[in-house]
Amino acid sequence: MIILCQRSPFLRRMLTSNKKNNDDVLVHIKLSNILPETFQIILRYLYGGIFSSNGHDTSDIFKVLVAADGLLLQELV
């Protein structure tokens, strides 16, 4: 969670505002406008710092860029 909070202002806001009060367990966060496959690519970028367009077609890359913009990941956009 610390890495996600440091890398994305959007995720920081979502994760810190969605904690349960009693035991610091996070509730589920829905990102309904981001496909799971797209979010997986973004998570690889957030944790590894590398985005590779190899093996992805243009529409996949566009989806990643749109999602990254929504997550306030300006360095990826």
Side-chain angles (χ1 to χ4, degrees), residues 8-68:
S8 169
F10 176 84
L11 290 174
R12 180 182 317 120
R13 190 171 51 245
M14 293 296 290
L15 291 170
T16 57
S17 67
N18 284 313
K19 282 187 178 180
K20 289 184 178 177
N21 293 331
N22 56 357
D23 59 1
D24 268 352
V25 175
L26 296 177
V27 296
H28 293 285
I29 298 173
K30 288 192 177 202
L31 302 172
S32 58
N33 57 334
I34 301 175
L35 294 172
E37 298 81 13
T38 303
F39 193 64
Q40 185 69 30
I41 294 168
I42 290 173
L43 284 175
R44 279 191 213 112
Y45 170 76
L46 289 174
Y47 282 101
I50 298 171
F51 173 71
S52 175
S53 61
N54 294 339
H56 301 289
D57 62 19
T58 306
S59 66
D60 289 337
I61 294 170
F62 183 73
K63 290 174 189 174
V64 169
L65 293 176
V66 169

